[in-house]
């Protein structure tokens, strides 16, 4: 029998140590990491700019008549053409004949027109109660690779297409969300870091007033803290290529907060560090300027994530339909319980001693969302996960499609991808993945707003 030329032993047997040593470079020193990081930074910039315009800026594409009528306005194309012909002051789009293209700004104007002039039995604008603050949605899980950033980005884009004004805050020092949104973040002073520093600095100022009156030594207020007192969230917010999405971005130095916050906490143990982000959004009236604030968190339950969770009204927890991700997410919920119950116990023991009302963390809703779902292979396990997590689970499972992967290669969301680059069915199926996710989260959003509105009205009636 002729020899096949293959060894009877596995490839990892009979490895020669001397030849293995020949494949190695010299020992790696710390400077080598700097070189690798520099190469990666250049590559990251090159890849991130795949979706940029030739002038180096990121721009949102235009939307065709077909997309506007099917997805954004829910009107027949013929009716839209009649309305445009009868109202030449409305955005007419670009292009010839029946195939016209509209910017999202154009669509928002058209939506306003149809909301006042359109059919009385149709809803052209998404509901938003008057006088209530924005809803804060945190997307979190301490396991990486579960689709947190992709989910947060597409929720922001979905909400923007739905007409809402959105602020995205990237709390992950990897800055992936910032790249998707085309943000420019030169250092940590352009991230959420100074908001945490400012909250601590204000606490120190208040604490020092008490200490001065009692004749005690004051807490230090260093240059970083002093500088942070002049920072407002408005200094950090930057527009994006989406007309109704703004961004507070992130970059690597944001991770410094994870080391600095515990140092501040050691200096002033009564500083409620978990409220820093909440205070920044409330005190500066940011909650009154947006409809939705989306927080993208790092894959760890650190101080940035704790702030995001404490600020959240709605918590979205992405996970894959695998045992490891199910197990990790269960541990994440356990860690949430341990962390926030511990904070409540510590705070309330002091409050009870001082005769103050007790505090309690509450969330309007929690939804665990299965991402990257393969119905052919993962349905059984997804059903098991659904059974164990019960009403925490979103009912829709976000399928992984070819379109999602292709859009990601361009550092874009699927809504930014031109449908003409795909088979029409592929585009419809890929878009439906995130449309359905948004529909479910929007249901939660509107329900919590409605409930808040009823409570506010009941309170007013009592007064």
């Amino acid at each position: 029998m002729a020899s096949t030329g293959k060894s009877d032993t596995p490839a990892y047997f009979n490895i020669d140590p001397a030849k293995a040593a020949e494949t190695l470079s010299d020992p790696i020193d710390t400077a080598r990491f700097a070189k690798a990081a520099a190469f990666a930074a250049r590559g990251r910039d090159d890849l991130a700019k795949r979706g940029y315009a030739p002038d180096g800026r990121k721009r949102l594409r235009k939307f065709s008549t077909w997309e506007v009528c099917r997805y954004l306005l829910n009107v027949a194309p013929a009716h839209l053409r009649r309305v445009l012909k009868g109202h030449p002051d409305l955005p007419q789009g670009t292009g010839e004949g029946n195939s016209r293209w509209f910017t999202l700004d154009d669509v928002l104007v058209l939506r306003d027109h149809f909301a006042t002039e359109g059919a009385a039995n149709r809803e052209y604008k998404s509901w938003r109660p008057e006088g209530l603050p924005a809803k804060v949605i945190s997307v979190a899980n301490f396991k990486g690779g579960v689709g947190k950033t992709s989910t947060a980005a597409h929720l922001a884009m979905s909400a923007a297409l739905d007409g809402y004004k959105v602020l995205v805050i990237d709390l992950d020092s990897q800055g992936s969300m910032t790249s998707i949104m085309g943000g420019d973040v030169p250092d940590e002073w352009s991230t959420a870091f100074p908001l945490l520093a400012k909250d601590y600095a204000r606490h120190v100022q208040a604490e020092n007033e008490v200490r001065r009156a009692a004749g005690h030594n004051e807490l230090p207020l260093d240059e970083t803290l002093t500088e942070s007192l002049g920072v407002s969230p408005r200094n950090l917010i930057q527009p994006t290529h989406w007309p109704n999405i703004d961004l507070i971005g992130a970059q690597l130095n944001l991770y410094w907060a994870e080391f600095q916050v515990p140092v501040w906490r050691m200096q002033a143990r009564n500083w409620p560090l978990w409220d820093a982000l909440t205070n920044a959004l409330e005190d500066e009236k940011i909650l009154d300027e947006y409809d939705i604030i989306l927080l993208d968190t790092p894959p760890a339950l650190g101080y940035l994530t704790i702030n995001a969770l404490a600020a959240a009204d709605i918590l979205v927890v992405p996970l894959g339909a695998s045992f490891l991700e199910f197990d990790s997410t269960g541990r994440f919920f356990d860690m949430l319980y341990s962390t926030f119950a511990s904070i409540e116990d510590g705070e309330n023991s002091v409050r009870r001693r001082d005769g103050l009302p007790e505090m309690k963390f509450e969330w309007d809703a929690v939804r665990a969302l299965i991402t990257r779902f393969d119905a052919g292979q993962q349905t059984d396990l997804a059903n098991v996960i659904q059974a164990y997590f019960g009403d925490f689970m979103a009912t829709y499972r976000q399928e992984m499609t070819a379109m999602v992967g292709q859009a990601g290669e361009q550092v874009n969301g699927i809504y930014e991808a031109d449908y003409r680059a795909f088979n029409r069915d592929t585009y419809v199926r890929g878009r439906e993945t995130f449309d359905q996710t948004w529909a479910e989260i929007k249901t939660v959003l509107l329900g919590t707003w409605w409930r808040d509105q009823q409570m506010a009205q009941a309170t007013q009636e009592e007064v």
Side-chain angles (χ1 to χ4, degrees), residues 13-213:
F13 287 358
N14 301 326
I15 296 174
D16 187 306
K19 290 184 178 180
E22 292 174 1
T23 67
L24 301 177
S25 66
D26 293 335
I28 306 298
D29 60 14
T30 53
R32 183 65 180 80
F33 291 113
K35 186 176 180 180
F39 282 132
R42 282 159 52 187
R44 181 176 63 246
D45 290 343
D46 289 343
L47 292 171
K49 290 179 179 177
R50 282 182 173 183
Y52 283 35
D55 64 359
R57 297 179 62 188
K58 199 164 190 180
R59 287 188 174 85
L60 182 61
R61 68 177 180 88
K62 294 182 178 181
F63 300 87
S64 70
T65 301
W66 170 74
E67 292 177 283
V68 170
C69 292
R70 174 164 182 163
Y71 294 112
L72 305 180
L73 291 182
N74 191 27
V75 298
H79 180 57
L80 176 60
R81 287 192 288 270
R82 285 194 299 271
V83 169
L84 295 181
K85 185 176 181 180
H87 296 80
D89 55 315
L90 290 175
Q92 299 293 308
T94 58
E96 300 296 330
N98 292 337
S99 180
R100 306 191 72 78
W101 294 79
F102 300 84
T103 68
L104 185 53
D105 279 316
D106 293 339
V107 174
L108 296 176
V109 172
L110 293 173
R111 180 178 274 128
D112 286 339
H113 172 81
F114 278 100
T116 56
E117 303 292 336
N121 62 343
R122 285 197 178 184
E123 294 289 339
Y124 297 99
K125 296 182 71 173
S126 294
W127 184 69
R128 166 78 161 88
E130 294 281 345
L132 293 182
K135 283 293 181 182
V136 180
I137 302 175
S138 288
V139 183
N141 196 334
F142 64 20
K143 182 169 178 55
V146 296
K148 288 191 302 296
T149 298
S150 177
T151 297
H154 284 100
L155 287 176
M157 293 175 188
S158 297
L161 291 173
D162 220 355
Y164 290 117
K165 187 176 182 183
V166 182
L167 173 63
V168 174
I169 303 180
D170 190 353
L171 295 173
D172 187 348
S173 59
Q174 296 176 87
S176 299
M177 175 67 83
T178 301
S179 294
I180 292 172
M181 291 298 171
D184 180 20
V185 185
D187 56 37
E188 68 273 16
W189 285 94
S190 299
T191 72
F193 170 74
L195 301 182
L196 307 185
K198 182 178 182 177
D199 192 75
Y200 176 69
R202 284 180 167 178
H203 178 84
V204 168
Q205 287 180 323
E207 179 73 13
N208 283 342
E209 287 185 13
V210 176
R211 288 174 174 245
R212 278 194 298 270

Side-chain angles (χ1 to χ4, degrees), residues 35 42 53 63 103 129 143 147 228 248 268 271 292 302 320 344 359 366 403 425 433 436 449:
K35 186 176 180 180
R42 282 159 52 187
F63 300 87
T103 68
K143 182 169 178 55
S228 73
I248 295 179
W271 172 48
I292 297 168
E344 289 174 342
M359 59 91 71
V366 176
M403 182 183 167
D425 290 340
T433 293
Q436 291 282 4
W449 259 331

